[in-house]
Amino acid sequence: MIGPTKKAIGIFGGSFDPPHKGHLTISKISLKKLNLKKIYWIVAKKNPFKKITFFNINRRIKKCKDLTKKIKKIEVKFLDKLVKSSNTIDIVRYLAKKNRNTKFFLIIGSDNLINFHKWKSWKHLVKISQLVVFPRRGFDKKAKKSVITKYLKQNKIMFIKSKKIDISSSQLRKNYLS
């Protein structure tokens, strides 16, 4: 639990290409379990680890806003132009400057934890935010043996126990094309 002088904000970033109910479920669980004041859905123009996006940025932002419009504690943001980066560390640094006395919870799936050590300035990122990991089918065992899990102390990484959400943007794109 966080102290009375700190507010808690979740950061849930990605290309959201496209956003789906799984993203929404993770957000609802995070709001409740972490007692967050709000969650920022940070829509990236492009994932630094992927070559292209399926939907353009404006369509993805609109889809995110449509999906989250009934939940006031979820705020969709596009910060790439303002921050001049899609890298999570740059986004979190920017948000930290704008939100003093805030504890940030970086929300990711276990699939992302496996390669988290390849993220720009990941060691600094885990110093300025609490890492929160949600289960993803087929990735949990590998994630718990990852470089990051071995590196971090238990209090800097939080594995959320929840039903595995059996939906992914990759699968939705495949369905869209078929």
Side-chain angles (χ1 to χ4, degrees):
M1 192 54 98
I2 60 172
T5 58
K6 287 207 172 209
K7 62 182 175 183
I9 294 177
I11 298 173
F12 191 27
S15 52
F16 294 96
D17 191 24
H20 52 73
K21 289 181 181 173
H23 294 129
L24 203 55
T25 300
I26 286 169
S27 297
K28 288 177 182 176
I29 293 169
S30 296
L31 283 165
K32 189 174 182 179
K33 283 194 175 192
L34 304 172
N35 196 27
L36 301 176
K37 179 181 178 191
K38 65 174 63 177
I39 289 183
Y40 294 145
W41 277 25
I42 308 296
V43 184
K45 185 171 185 175
K46 185 183 167 307
N47 180 325
F49 296 106
K50 294 180 183 171
K51 290 185 177 160
I52 59 167
T53 57
F54 190 75
F55 292 107
N56 72 43
I57 186 65
N58 292 330
R59 188 157 176 204
R60 288 184 281 129
I61 291 169
K62 183 183 180 329
K63 284 179 170 285
C64 286
K65 287 181 177 180
D66 290 346
L67 189 62
T68 62
K69 67 184 169 198
K70 292 182 180 172
I71 303 172
K72 291 181 179 18
K73 288 188 173 191
I74 298 176
E75 201 174 308
V76 177
K77 293 181 172 286
F78 174 66
L79 299 173
D80 290 18
K81 284 183 183 176
L82 191 63
V83 178
K84 296 180 177 62
S85 174
S86 286
N87 290 306
T88 305
I89 186 64
D90 299 322
I91 301 291
V92 175
R93 282 180 179 145
Y94 172 82
L95 290 171
K97 283 181 186 174
K98 296 282 183 195
N99 297 278
R100 304 261 184 228
N101 293 323
T102 299
K103 178 168 179 153
F104 289 101
F105 292 82
L106 181 61
I107 302 161
I108 66 171
S110 61
D111 56 327
N112 282 311
L113 186 64
I114 294 165
N115 290 310
F116 192 82
H117 64 286
K118 295 178 182 175
W119 291 25
K120 180 183 173 189
S121 303
W122 67 269
K123 286 182 180 177
H124 185 63
L125 188 55
V126 296
K127 285 181 182 174
I128 62 174
S129 63
Q130 170 73 49
L131 195 55
V132 179
V133 181
F134 274 81
R136 290 285 307 267
R137 191 172 310 284
F139 295 98
D140 295 350
K141 284 182 184 175
K142 219 176 190 179
K144 289 190 176 179
K145 294 178 183 177
S146 69
V147 171
I148 301 304
T149 307
K150 291 174 184 169
Y151 174 82
L152 290 178
K153 294 181 173 96
Q154 284 297 100
N155 66 345
K156 285 306 277 182
I157 189 167
M158 188 182 304
F159 287 95
I160 300 294
K161 289 182 178 141
S162 71
K163 277 180 150 180
K164 288 186 178 73
I165 298 154
D166 209 14
I167 186 171
S168 73
S169 295
S170 302
Q171 188 59 49
L172 290 174
R173 289 190 301 270
K174 284 178 191 171
N175 292 346
Y176 186 82
L177 290 171
S178 1

